[in-house]
Amino acid sequence: MLAPLDLRLLQTFIVLVQTGSFSETSRRLGRTQPAVSLQLNRLEEATGAPLFTKVGRKLVLTNHGELVLGYARTIMGLQDELRARLAAPKLDGAVVLGMPDLYAAYLLPGILSDFRSAYPNVDVELKCALSSKLMAAVEKAEIDLAIVTGMPAFKVGELVAQEDLVWVTSERGSVHLENPVPLAMLPPGNIFRDFGLAALESIGRIWRLSCISESISGIQAAVFAGIAVSVVGKSSVLPGMRVLGRSDTFPALPKVDLVLYRSARSSNPAAEALASVIVRHFANSALAPAARFMRTQAGSGSHE
């Protein structure tokens, strides 16, 4: 008979998938890199095949690794759920969660409902701001958790979801046919804006900025008024909006990553409980990423 799997090996494997880095995994788990490598070797021996292969310097899951990862998440998720149920009547306090308003109204209700069901005595304070401001607040431990758009300038975080970007206009009117096409966008440095403008330029479509807003409500107002076309997350498309595609001479757009960051300077059991609920919520949603790798990145200082 096969020996029972050590849950610590599964935990190490999941964190290694999330970080894509032995050094970052060892830092998060408080273990040495040789200890992390040894645990991976033990798990591969226990499951009977390699879990990773290397493409250049990047760790890539094998087919066997993908299979083990799915079960590992389920097993560890059930353990977290059991702990949550056992701890729910006892856990109290407060947690501060940050999220851009681009997502908050559309993605937070389900998360908050799940969290309230499991932890009725914990209060949640919400902070809605640009991703760069939320990241600064996480670093200063002014907030416990942040779910933000993945950016090249941000450090390693946990990829929890991926959102499709789409072009939208008003169901009434034909502003999308104008040349140059008027756009409603977030301020410079925003990744929605960057992707949209780059996509239009790739097909030679001429554009002009007719509206700039830091909030989704301003973008929505311009779209509903029929004065501009914009780029939004698919989850935030509302009745009265029309999604534009290639038949309307608008190019396809990429997905964006939603990344969870925890404050390393804050020790808050309520925050850890909310983080677990967030991860489980997205893992069971249509926004679950195909592979949960996040890499250490360096680059531009995008805002959202």
Side-chain angles (χ1 to χ4, degrees), residues 7-34:
L7 295 184
R8 291 171 296 181
L9 305 184
L10 297 180
Q11 178 194 37
T12 298
F13 175 51
I14 291 171
V15 175
L16 185 55
V17 170
Q18 291 168 355
T19 65
S21 163
F22 279 91
S23 59
E24 177 63 17
T25 298
S26 65
R27 186 192 69 79
R28 286 195 186 186
L29 297 178
R31 299 169 191 155
T32 65
Q33 288 190 47

Side-chain angles (χ1 to χ4, degrees), residues 87-206:
K90 307 169 189 175
L91 190 64
D92 56 16
V95 56
V96 183
L97 170 65
M99 193 176 200
D101 78 338
L102 284 169
Y103 309 116
Y106 314 102
L107 301 183
L108 277 183
I111 292 171
L112 296 178
S113 177
D114 290 350
F115 186 66
R116 173 71 177 178
S117 296
Y119 301 98
N121 299 319
V122 176
D123 296 324
V124 180
E125 180 179 350
L126 300 177
K127 299 284 188 181
C128 291
L130 298 175
S131 292
S132 57
K133 294 180 180 179
L134 293 175
M135 287 298 294
V138 169
E139 291 292 334
K140 296 176 184 177
E142 295 172 349
I143 61 178
D144 299 296
L145 304 168
I147 306 173
V148 303
T149 308
M151 293 288 180
F154 294 167
K155 64 178 184 177
V156 170
E158 183 172 357
L159 176 61
V160 293
Q162 290 181 313
E163 171 84 316
D164 288 310
L165 295 183
V166 294
W167 296 99
V168 291
T169 188
S170 172
E171 285 185 342
R172 303 186 305 275
S174 55
V175 69
H176 62 288
L177 300 177
E178 293 183 13
N179 191 34
V181 60
L183 301 176
M185 293 288 184
L186 288 146
N190 166 260
I191 202 166
F192 285 31
R193 171 182 172 138
D194 292 345
F195 282 155
L197 299 186
L200 289 177
E201 290 175 358
S202 72
I203 64 168
R205 185 78 191 269
I206 302 173

